[in-house]
Amino acid sequence: MGRTDPGAQVRLDDQKLQVDGTGRFIFGFGRDAKDTAELRVIFPNEDRSVRRLSIKQRKYSVQRIQGLPRRMVTPPKAAMRRIHEEAKSIRKARAIFTPVVYFAEGLIWPTKGKISGVYGSQRILNGRPRRPHLGVDIAALAGTPVLAAAAGIVTLAQGDLYFTGGTVIINHGHGLTTVYSHLQSIGTRVGALVSQGQDIGTVGSTGRSTGPHLDWRVNWFQERLDPMLMAPPVRSNVE
C-alpha cells in the first residue's frame, strides 16, 4: 500500500494504478515476478518521481499429495469445457475494480486450524507435477465457520466448482480480492456487502481435496499474492 498526493498519476511499469481521493494506492507481486519494477509518479504540479523496486525471489518447497481421484489430477476431456468456463468466471471476478478501500483495515485469518499447505509450493499430485499452490491451506474440522478476512462485496459464490468446490470471492477494493475454497456450505450471495469477521460459509472438502480444509487466497487483479504476508503472524492462527 502506498500514498501520494491526491490527483497524482501512478504507474507500475506499464500499468496505471488507481489513486483514491486521499492519495492511497496498492499493488502486488506474484510468485514469478521479475527482479525489478519501476514505480513512476507524476504529481499534480507535474513534478515527477521514479523509484526502481528490487524484488527478491524466494525459495519454494515441494509438496507431494497422494490419494486424489484420477479425474481430479488429469480431468477427462468431457470436463474440460466446464473447467474452462469456471476459470473464466473466476478471472472475471478477480478483474473487477471498485473504488472502495475496505482493504485499508487489514486482513484477519478467515478460520483457525493447522497450516497444511503454503503459498508457492510446487505440487506433485499422485506423482504428477502440477501448478504451484498459490494460497494457504488451513486444515480444520468440517463445518468450522469461515469468516470474511475484510469487509467487501461478494463477486462470486458457487457451491460446486470442479477444482475448488464451494467457492466465495470477496472484492475489497482497488482490485484486491480474497478467495475461500472447498467450502462445505456457503452463507452469502453475489452482491452482498459483508463485514470483516462475518460468517460466509463453513470448512469442507469439496472439489479437489483429500480432507477438510480451507484454501485461502489473496489476489491483486490477476496477481496471486501470499496471504501469510498480509495477515497477522501465523502463531495467532494455529489452534
Side-chain angles (χ1 to χ4, degrees):
M1 291 188 285
R3 283 242 177 161
T4 184
D5 295 343
Q9 300 176 48
V10 182
R11 299 189 76 90
L12 180 70
D13 292 330
D14 296 327
Q15 184 170 359
K16 181 180 179 181
L17 305 185
Q18 297 291 333
V19 180
D20 74 4
T22 67
R24 183 188 287 114
F25 61 93
I26 62 171
F27 59 91
F29 298 106
R31 181 184 189 274
D32 300 317
K34 296 179 180 179
D35 293 337
T36 60
E38 190 173 81
L39 188 68
R40 301 191 301 276
V41 182
I42 303 176
F43 297 98
N45 64 2
E46 298 189 359
D47 284 349
R48 295 169 184 257
S49 172
V50 178
R51 291 190 182 184
R52 193 169 182 81
L53 308 178
S54 296
I55 305 162
K56 184 177 180 180
Q57 185 59 263
R58 293 160 57 183
K59 293 182 179 180
Y60 298 101
S61 61
V62 175
Q63 186 177 27
R64 301 178 186 275
I65 299 175
Q66 299 292 333
L68 287 164
R70 182 177 179 181
R71 65 184 180 84
M72 287 297 181
V73 178
T74 305
K77 290 183 179 180
M80 295 309 297
R81 181 174 180 178
R82 172 188 172 186
I83 291 170
H84 291 321
E85 289 299 316
E86 291 175 354
K88 284 172 58 177
S89 296
I90 292 171
R91 287 195 299 271
K92 183 178 179 180
R94 293 204 310 260
I96 296 171
F97 172 83
T98 55
V100 298
V101 291
Y102 296 122
F103 59 82
E105 65 184 333
L107 303 182
I108 63 171
W109 284 95
T111 195
K112 289 189 175 183
K114 179 181 178 181
I115 302 301
S116 57
V118 296
Y119 174 91
S121 57
Q122 177 64 53
R123 285 282 174 90
I124 310 295
L125 306 181
N126 291 2
R128 295 180 177 271
R130 290 296 184 262
R131 293 179 181 178
H133 182 52
L134 297 175
V136 172
D137 287 338
I138 308 167
L141 294 175
T144 300
V146 173
L147 315 178
I153 301 165
V154 177
T155 55
L156 186 143
Q158 293 283 341
D160 186 28
L161 299 185
Y162 189 89
F163 285 127
T164 58
T167 305
V168 169
I169 298 180
I170 302 176
N171 186 302
H172 307 290
H174 286 229
L176 190 77
T177 59
T178 52
V179 186
Y180 313 78
S181 299
H182 307 299
L183 300 176
Q184 176 176 277
S185 65
I186 293 175
T188 188
R189 57 178 175 77
V190 172
L193 174 60
V194 297
S195 57
Q196 186 177 61
Q198 180 175 329
D199 284 6
I200 58 170
T202 58
V203 170
S205 186
T206 56
R208 185 163 69 186
S209 171
T210 58
H213 74 287
L214 174 69
D215 181 353
W216 181 42
R217 304 193 177 201
V218 179
N219 310 301
W220 176 61
F221 294 113
Q222 306 306 331
E223 289 289 345
R224 314 291 187 88
L225 312 182
D226 185 352
M228 292 181 70
L229 298 179
M230 306 176 68
V234 68
R235 288 188 303 275
S236 66
N237 180 60
V238 179
E239 291 182 331

